[in-house]
Amino acid sequence: MAQLTAEGIGRRTKKEKRAMLWSDIKKSKACYAMIAPFMVFFIIFTIIPVLMSLPMGFTDFNLAQPPKFVGLSNYTALFLSDKVFIQSIRVTLIFALFTGPVSYILCFLLAWLINGLPPKLKTFFTLIFYIPSMAGVYTVWQLIFSGDMNGYLNSFLMNLGIINSPIQWLTDSRYILGVCIVVQLWISLGAGFLALRAGFQNIDKSLYEAGAIEGIRTKWQELIYIVIPSMKPQLMFAAVMQIVSSFTAGTVAQNLVGFPSTDYKAHTIMTHAYDYGWVHYEMGYASAICMILFLAMFICNRVIGKFLGSSDD
Amino acid sequence: MKNVRTDKLKGTSRQAGRKKGRSIPSIILLLIMGLFMLLPIYLTVVMSVKPVEELFVFPPQMYTLRPTLDNYKDMFDILKSNRVPFSRYVFNSVAVTVTVTVLQCGFSAMAAFVLAKCKFPGGKIINSIIVTSLLYQSNVIYIMQYIVMSEMGIIDTPLALILPAIASPMGLFLMRQSISQIPDSMIEAAKVDGAGLFRICWQIVMPNQKPALMTIIIFAFQGAWNIQGGSVVFQEQYKTLPTVVSQAASSGIARAGVAMAAAVFMLVPPVIVFILAQRQVIETMAHSGIKE
């Protein structure tokens, strides 16, 4: 009997398959009802705008006139004649390679350290590390890195006698990128960090006990054999968040070192897109820039997904 | 690891191998890093209570001996000078934030549960679309959103602030990741008992998923509280606090203190919600243990 049905499935015609799909859909009515409220808003305010924006990279669009189709010329211009874009790729890669992995590891280690504390301290420390991404204040960093003697950092270093004259942290092309990376790291313990904290809270205590009985002695062993395997979904979430925030960084630099920055030293791809989109009103070109950034993030996400062994994304 | 039968071991010593003394080195490490994190926030707060004449003193001081609320007073004075009473902005902000937070979390939770635990045609595609949409950042999207909203005729109404913020792929993604850890058997058991998906979601899954649920509440509140409606809402009576407060902070010269006061003022509600929600997250530790 079982064999018969198995053969039957192999020989099903298209029509039968469609009928099966239809009956599957009918059976899943309750599922569709549950996702419907989300999907309605998601389709209207995310999917439709995204689909509308996809072809923009192939057009010349200045917001005043309707978009004009120009083929691949935006993309060829980007790679062949836009020197600032090539510079922005470099800046973005340096930025992403520094802030991405460092902040990812920091998120995890801090969440893990906090997890070993008593409850009151847990809330306290989670707040301290998360508060920068809630506040998003750049003004104060400007005062800290201010180039005159009034800057906190300059005055501090001069008091100690490490430097004799103030350093132009925000305009000297040697320091700009470093300063931006520090501030980016400061605000980067965001969604990923909080998600990991939640993940730690959800690990079943009995797993630790079972581990102890099976011969797990040190905290490191516990980390590798118990914690990481039970945190894979949250680790994947944090990775996606980290990719997005480190690749699309730009606001920090724009607010901190001005726009455009000296010698384009902190000019990320996102800043470049902002430049063309909102300063020059060349939306077609700007969205071609964003498309390239998206492809880079997409590939990066696939690689990390493979690494973390998640199959469904 | 997950297949280890642990139910017999439950109720033995709490967190075997963890002693109180062990956490002291980590507390010290966390404190040092915490100081770096907190320093700019501390400076912001100090500067918001510094009297004007102290703001540009050399060398810059990390503290003030004569704290004053002048900057806050100035900020409120600027806000009061608008045609619309200040309470109206507060009401708008609270209304928008509460509506968005409730709907966003409710909708994400239900959708995440189904996407994580039910097999149905289209489910896989929706899952990957959601993750991909997180990666797709384009400055053209806002223009397209604007076009969609103006087609719907909701520009310059409060709906333009609320509706686009309701579906958050980030919240849904986190929730789905977290729910995927629940054993299928728990949901099957509930189905056998005759519970519908809606009831399973809210009575069985969500109580077990408090950490993730509280976390997306924090995200939703924070996002909604900071919605900048400047480009979709123009009537003064519909504006929310972030818009008018940043207007107040940027008006006039030498207003560093007022800007700091504005930042501190806007930070208070999210911090309160954060603390309340985190407490819930931490309490869940006590009664977990429903896993395979």
Coordinates of all heavy atoms in Angstrom, one line a residue, chain A residues 164-227:
Chain A
N164 N 51.4 68.0 22.9 CA 51.7 69.4 23.3 C 50.7 70.4 22.6 O 50.4 71.4 23.2 CB 53.1 69.8 22.8 CG 54.1 69.1 23.7 OD1 53.9 68.9 24.9 ND2 55.2 68.7 23.1
S165 N 50.2 70.1 21.4 CA 49.2 70.9 20.8 C 48.0 70.1 20.4 O 48.2 68.9 20.2 CB 49.9 71.6 19.5 OG 50.3 70.5 18.7
P166 N 46.9 70.7 20.4 CA 45.7 70.0 20.1 C 45.7 69.2 18.7 O 46.3 69.7 17.8 CB 44.5 71.0 20.1 CG 45.2 72.3 20.1 CD 46.6 72.1 20.6
I167 N 45.1 68.1 18.7 CA 45.0 67.3 17.4 C 43.7 67.5 16.8 O 42.6 67.5 17.5 CB 45.2 65.8 17.7 CG1 46.6 65.5 18.2 CG2 44.9 65.0 16.5 CD1 46.9 64.1 18.6
Q168 N 43.7 67.7 15.5 CA 42.4 67.9 14.8 C 41.8 66.6 14.5 O 41.8 66.1 13.3 CB 42.7 68.7 13.4 CG 43.4 70.0 13.6 CD 42.5 71.0 14.3 OE1 41.3 71.1 14.1 NE2 43.0 71.8 15.2
W169 N 41.2 66.0 15.5 CA 40.6 64.6 15.3 C 39.6 64.5 14.2 O 39.5 63.5 13.5 CB 39.9 64.2 16.6 CG 40.8 64.1 17.8 CD1 40.9 65.0 18.8 CD2 41.8 63.1 18.0 NE1 41.9 64.6 19.7 CE2 42.4 63.4 19.3 CE3 42.2 62.0 17.3 CZ2 43.5 62.7 19.8 CZ3 43.3 61.2 17.9 CH2 43.9 61.6 19.1
L170 N 38.8 65.6 14.0 CA 37.7 65.5 13.1 C 38.0 65.9 11.7 O 37.1 65.8 10.8 CB 36.5 66.2 13.7 CG 36.0 65.7 15.0 CD1 34.9 66.6 15.5 CD2 35.5 64.3 14.9
T171 N 39.1 66.6 11.5 CA 39.4 67.0 10.2 C 40.8 66.5 9.6 O 41.0 66.6 8.4 CB 39.5 68.6 10.1 OG1 40.2 69.1 11.2 CG2 38.1 69.2 10.1
D172 N 41.6 66.0 10.5 CA 42.9 65.5 10.0 C 42.7 64.1 9.4 O 42.2 63.2 10.0 CB 43.9 65.4 11.2 CG 45.3 65.0 10.8 OD1 45.4 64.3 9.8 OD2 46.2 65.5 11.4
S173 N 43.0 64.0 8.1 CA 42.7 62.8 7.4 C 43.3 61.5 8.0 O 42.8 60.4 7.7 CB 43.1 62.9 5.9 OG 44.5 63.1 5.8
R174 N 44.3 61.7 8.8 CA 44.9 60.5 9.4 C 44.0 59.9 10.5 O 44.0 58.7 10.8 CB 46.2 60.8 10.1 CG 47.4 61.0 9.1 CD 48.6 61.5 9.8 NE 48.4 62.8 10.3 CZ 49.3 63.4 11.1 NH1 50.3 62.8 11.5 NH2 49.0 64.6 11.6
Y175 N 43.2 60.7 11.1 CA 42.4 60.2 12.3 C 40.9 60.0 12.0 O 40.3 59.3 12.8 CB 42.5 61.2 13.5 CG 44.0 61.5 13.9 CD1 44.6 62.7 13.8 CD2 44.7 60.4 14.4 CE1 45.9 62.9 14.1 CE2 46.1 60.6 14.8 CZ 46.6 61.9 14.6 OH 47.9 62.1 15.0
I176 N 40.4 60.6 11.0 CA 39.0 60.6 10.7 C 38.4 59.2 10.8 O 37.4 59.0 11.6 CB 38.6 61.2 9.4 CG1 38.9 62.7 9.4 CG2 37.2 61.0 9.0 CD1 38.6 63.4 8.1
L177 N 38.9 58.3 10.0 CA 38.3 57.0 10.0 C 38.4 56.3 11.3 O 37.4 55.7 11.8 CB 39.0 56.1 8.9 CG 38.3 54.9 8.5 CD1 36.9 55.1 8.0 CD2 39.0 54.2 7.4
G178 N 39.5 56.4 12.0 CA 39.6 55.8 13.3 C 38.6 56.3 14.3 O 37.9 55.6 15.0
V179 N 38.4 57.7 14.3 CA 37.4 58.3 15.2 C 36.0 57.7 14.9 O 35.3 57.3 15.8 CB 37.4 59.8 15.0 CG1 36.2 60.4 15.7 CG2 38.7 60.4 15.6
C180 N 35.7 57.6 13.6 CA 34.4 57.1 13.2 C 34.2 55.7 13.6 O 33.1 55.3 14.1 CB 34.2 57.2 11.7 SG 34.0 58.9 11.2
I181 N 35.3 54.9 13.5 CA 35.1 53.5 13.9 C 34.9 53.4 15.4 O 34.0 52.6 15.8 CB 36.4 52.7 13.5 CG1 36.4 52.5 12.0 CG2 36.5 51.4 14.2 CD1 37.7 51.9 11.4
V182 N 35.6 54.2 16.2 CA 35.3 54.2 17.6 C 33.9 54.5 18.0 O 33.2 53.8 18.7 CB 36.3 55.1 18.4 CG1 35.9 55.3 19.8 CG2 37.7 54.6 18.3
V183 N 33.4 55.5 17.4 CA 32.0 55.9 17.7 C 31.0 54.9 17.2 O 30.0 54.6 17.8 CB 31.7 57.3 17.1 CG1 30.2 57.7 17.4 CG2 32.6 58.4 17.7
Q184 N 31.3 54.3 16.0 CA 30.4 53.3 15.4 C 30.4 52.1 16.4 O 29.3 51.5 16.7 CB 30.9 52.9 14.1 CG 30.1 51.8 13.4 CD 28.7 52.3 12.9 OE1 28.6 53.5 12.6 NE2 27.7 51.4 12.9
L185 N 31.6 51.7 16.9 CA 31.6 50.6 17.9 C 30.8 50.9 19.1 O 30.1 50.1 19.7 CB 33.0 50.3 18.3 CG 33.8 49.4 17.3 CD1 35.2 49.3 17.7 CD2 33.2 48.1 17.1
W186 N 30.9 52.2 19.5 CA 30.1 52.6 20.7 C 28.6 52.4 20.5 O 28.0 52.0 21.5 CB 30.5 54.1 21.0 CG 29.8 54.7 22.1 CD1 30.0 54.4 23.5 CD2 28.7 55.7 22.1 NE1 29.2 55.1 24.3 CE2 28.4 55.9 23.5 CE3 28.0 56.3 21.1 CZ2 27.4 56.8 23.8 CZ3 27.1 57.2 21.5 CH2 26.7 57.5 22.8
I187 N 28.1 52.8 19.3 CA 26.6 52.6 19.2 C 26.2 51.2 18.7 O 25.1 51.0 18.4 CB 26.0 53.7 18.3 CG1 26.6 53.6 16.9 CG2 26.1 55.0 18.9 CD1 25.7 54.4 15.9
S188 N 27.2 50.3 18.4 CA 26.9 49.1 17.7 C 26.4 48.0 18.5 O 26.0 47.0 18.0 CB 28.1 48.6 16.9 OG 29.1 48.1 17.8
L189 N 26.4 48.1 19.9 CA 25.8 47.1 20.7 C 24.3 47.2 20.7 O 23.7 47.6 21.7 CB 26.4 47.1 22.1 CG 27.9 46.8 22.1 CD1 28.4 47.1 23.5 CD2 28.1 45.3 21.8
G190 N 23.7 47.0 19.6 CA 22.2 47.3 19.5 C 21.4 46.1 19.5 O 21.4 45.3 20.4
A191 N 20.6 45.9 18.4 CA 19.6 44.9 18.3 C 20.2 43.5 18.5 O 19.7 42.7 19.2 CB 18.9 45.0 16.9
G192 N 21.4 43.3 17.9 CA 22.1 42.0 18.0 C 22.4 41.6 19.4 O 22.1 40.5 19.9
F193 N 22.9 42.6 20.1 CA 23.3 42.4 21.5 C 22.1 42.0 22.4 O 22.1 41.1 23.1 CB 23.9 43.7 22.1 CG 24.1 43.7 23.5 CD1 25.0 42.9 24.2 CD2 23.4 44.6 24.3 CE1 25.2 43.0 25.5 CE2 23.6 44.7 25.7 CZ 24.5 43.9 26.3
L194 N 21.0 42.8 22.2 CA 19.8 42.5 23.0 C 19.2 41.2 22.6 O 18.7 40.5 23.5 CB 18.8 43.6 22.7 CG 18.1 44.2 23.9 CD1 19.1 44.6 25.0 CD2 17.2 45.4 23.5
A195 N 19.2 40.8 21.3 CA 18.7 39.5 20.9 C 19.5 38.4 21.6 O 18.9 37.4 22.0 CB 18.7 39.4 19.4
L196 N 20.8 38.6 21.6 CA 21.6 37.5 22.2 C 21.4 37.4 23.7 O 21.3 36.3 24.3 CB 23.1 37.8 22.0 CG 23.6 37.6 20.5 CD1 25.0 38.2 20.3 CD2 23.5 36.2 20.1
R197 N 21.1 38.6 24.4 CA 20.8 38.6 25.8 C 19.5 37.8 26.0 O 19.4 36.9 26.9 CB 20.6 40.0 26.3 CG 21.8 40.8 26.6 CD 22.5 40.3 27.9 NE 21.7 40.3 29.0 CZ 21.3 39.2 29.7 NH1 21.8 38.0 29.3 NH2 20.5 39.3 30.7
A198 N 18.5 38.0 25.1 CA 17.3 37.3 25.2 C 17.5 35.8 25.0 O 17.0 34.9 25.7 CB 16.2 37.8 24.2
G199 N 18.4 35.5 24.0 CA 18.7 34.1 23.7 C 19.3 33.4 24.9 O 18.9 32.3 25.3
F200 N 20.2 34.1 25.6 CA 20.8 33.5 26.8 C 19.8 33.1 27.9 O 19.8 32.1 28.5 CB 21.9 34.4 27.4 CG 23.2 34.2 26.8 CD1 23.8 35.2 26.0 CD2 24.0 33.1 27.0 CE1 25.0 35.1 25.4 CE2 25.2 32.9 26.5 CZ 25.8 33.9 25.7
Q201 N 18.8 34.1 28.0 CA 17.8 33.8 29.0 C 17.0 32.6 28.7 O 16.4 32.0 29.6 CB 16.9 35.1 29.1 CG 17.5 36.3 29.8 CD 18.0 36.0 31.2 OE1 19.1 36.4 31.5 NE2 17.2 35.4 32.0
N202 N 16.9 32.3 27.4 CA 16.0 31.2 27.0 C 16.7 29.8 27.0 O 16.0 28.8 26.8 CB 15.5 31.5 25.6 CG 14.0 31.5 25.5 OD1 13.4 31.5 26.6 ND2 13.5 31.6 24.4
I203 N 18.0 29.8 27.3 CA 18.6 28.5 27.4 C 18.1 27.7 28.6 O 18.1 28.3 29.7 CB 20.2 28.6 27.4 CG1 20.7 29.3 26.2 CG2 20.8 27.3 27.6 CD1 22.2 29.5 26.2
D204 N 17.8 26.5 28.4 CA 17.2 25.7 29.5 C 18.3 25.4 30.5 O 19.4 24.9 30.1 CB 16.7 24.4 28.9 CG 15.8 23.7 29.9 OD1 16.0 23.9 31.1 OD2 14.9 23.0 29.5
K205 N 18.1 25.8 31.7 CA 19.1 25.6 32.8 C 19.5 24.1 32.9 O 20.7 23.8 33.2 CB 18.5 25.9 34.1 CG 18.6 27.4 34.5 CD 18.1 27.6 35.9 CE 16.7 27.1 36.0 NZ 16.1 27.4 37.3
S206 N 18.5 23.2 32.6 CA 18.9 21.8 32.8 C 19.9 21.3 31.8 O 20.6 20.3 32.1 CB 17.6 20.9 32.6 OG 17.0 21.2 31.4
L207 N 20.1 22.1 30.7 CA 21.2 21.7 29.8 C 22.5 21.9 30.5 O 23.4 21.1 30.3 CB 21.1 22.6 28.6 CG 20.1 22.2 27.5 CD1 20.2 23.2 26.3 CD2 20.4 20.8 26.9
Y208 N 22.7 22.9 31.3 CA 24.0 23.1 32.0 C 24.2 22.0 32.9 O 25.3 21.4 33.0 CB 23.9 24.4 32.8 CG 23.9 25.7 32.0 CD1 22.8 26.5 32.1 CD2 24.9 26.1 31.2 CE1 22.7 27.7 31.3 CE2 24.9 27.2 30.4 CZ 23.8 28.1 30.5 OH 23.7 29.2 29.8
E209 N 23.1 21.6 33.6 CA 23.3 20.5 34.6 C 23.6 19.2 33.9 O 24.5 18.5 34.3 CB 22.0 20.4 35.4 CG 21.8 21.5 36.4 CD 20.4 21.8 36.7 OE1 19.5 21.0 36.4 OE2 20.1 22.9 37.3
A210 N 22.9 18.9 32.8 CA 23.2 17.7 32.0 C 24.7 17.7 31.6 O 25.4 16.7 31.6 CB 22.3 17.6 30.8
G211 N 25.1 18.9 31.1 CA 26.5 19.1 30.7 C 27.5 18.8 31.8 O 28.5 18.1 31.6
A212 N 27.2 19.3 33.0 CA 28.1 19.1 34.1 C 28.2 17.6 34.4 O 29.3 17.1 34.7 CB 27.5 19.8 35.3
I213 N 27.1 16.9 34.3 CA 27.2 15.5 34.6 C 27.9 14.7 33.5 O 28.7 13.8 33.7 CB 25.7 14.9 34.7 CG1 25.1 15.4 36.0 CG2 25.7 13.4 34.6 CD1 23.6 15.2 36.1
E214 N 27.8 15.2 32.2 CA 28.5 14.5 31.1 C 30.0 14.9 31.1 O 30.7 14.6 30.1 CB 27.8 14.8 29.8 CG 26.5 14.1 29.7 CD 25.9 14.2 28.3 OE1 26.6 14.7 27.4 OE2 24.8 13.7 28.1
G215 N 30.5 15.7 32.0 CA 31.9 15.9 32.1 C 32.4 17.3 31.6 O 33.5 17.5 31.3
I216 N 31.4 18.2 31.4 CA 31.9 19.6 31.1 C 32.3 20.3 32.3 O 31.5 20.4 33.3 CB 30.7 20.3 30.4 CG1 30.6 19.8 28.9 CG2 31.0 21.8 30.3 CD1 29.4 20.3 28.2
R217 N 33.6 20.8 32.3 CA 34.1 21.3 33.5 C 34.3 22.8 33.5 O 33.9 23.6 34.4 CB 35.5 20.7 33.9 CG 35.3 19.2 34.3 CD 34.8 19.1 35.7 NE 34.3 17.7 36.0 CZ 33.1 17.3 35.9 NH1 32.2 18.2 35.5 NH2 32.7 16.1 36.1
T218 N 34.9 23.3 32.4 CA 35.2 24.7 32.4 C 34.1 25.5 31.7 O 33.3 25.0 31.0 CB 36.5 25.0 31.6 OG1 36.3 24.6 30.2 CG2 37.7 24.2 32.2
K219 N 34.2 26.8 31.9 CA 33.2 27.7 31.3 C 33.4 27.7 29.8 O 32.4 27.9 29.0 CB 33.4 29.2 31.8 CG 32.6 29.5 33.0 CD 32.4 30.9 33.2 CE 31.1 31.2 33.9 NZ 30.7 32.6 33.9
W220 N 34.6 27.5 29.3 CA 34.8 27.5 27.8 C 34.2 26.3 27.2 O 33.6 26.4 26.1 CB 36.3 27.5 27.5 CG 36.9 28.8 27.8 CD1 37.8 29.1 28.9 CD2 36.7 30.1 27.1 NE1 38.1 30.4 28.8 CE2 37.5 31.0 27.8 CE3 36.0 30.4 26.0 CZ2 37.5 32.4 27.4 CZ3 36.0 31.8 25.6 CH2 36.8 32.7 26.3
Q221 N 34.3 25.2 27.9 CA 33.6 24.0 27.3 C 32.1 24.2 27.3 O 31.4 23.8 26.3 CB 33.9 22.7 28.2 CG 35.3 22.2 28.0 CD 35.7 21.1 28.9 OE1 35.2 21.0 30.0 NE2 36.5 20.2 28.5
E222 N 31.6 24.8 28.4 CA 30.2 25.0 28.5 C 29.8 25.9 27.3 O 28.7 25.7 26.6 CB 29.9 25.8 29.8 CG 28.5 25.8 30.2 CD 28.4 26.5 31.6 OE1 28.5 25.8 32.6 OE2 28.2 27.7 31.6
L223 N 30.6 26.9 27.0 CA 30.3 27.9 25.9 C 30.2 27.1 24.6 O 29.3 27.3 23.8 CB 31.4 28.9 25.9 CG 31.2 30.1 24.9 CD1 30.1 31.0 25.4 CD2 32.5 30.9 24.8
I224 N 31.2 26.2 24.3 CA 31.3 25.6 23.0 C 30.3 24.5 22.8 O 29.7 24.4 21.8 CB 32.7 25.1 22.8 CG1 33.7 26.3 22.6 CG2 32.8 24.2 21.5 CD1 35.1 26.0 22.8
Y225 N 30.1 23.7 23.9 CA 29.2 22.6 23.7 C 27.7 22.8 24.1 O 26.9 22.1 23.6 CB 29.7 21.4 24.5 CG 31.1 20.9 24.1 CD1 32.2 21.1 24.8 CD2 31.2 20.3 22.8 CE1 33.4 20.7 24.4 CE2 32.4 19.9 22.4 CZ 33.5 20.1 23.1 OH 34.8 19.7 22.7
I226 N 27.5 23.8 24.9 CA 26.1 24.0 25.3 C 25.6 25.4 24.8 O 24.5 25.4 24.1 CB 25.9 24.0 26.8 CG1 26.3 22.6 27.3 CG2 24.5 24.3 27.2 CD1 26.4 22.5 28.8
V227 N 26.3 26.4 25.1 CA 25.7 27.8 24.8 C 25.6 28.0 23.3 O 24.5 28.3 22.8 CB 26.6 28.9 25.4 CG1 26.1 30.2 25.0 CG2 26.5 28.7 26.9

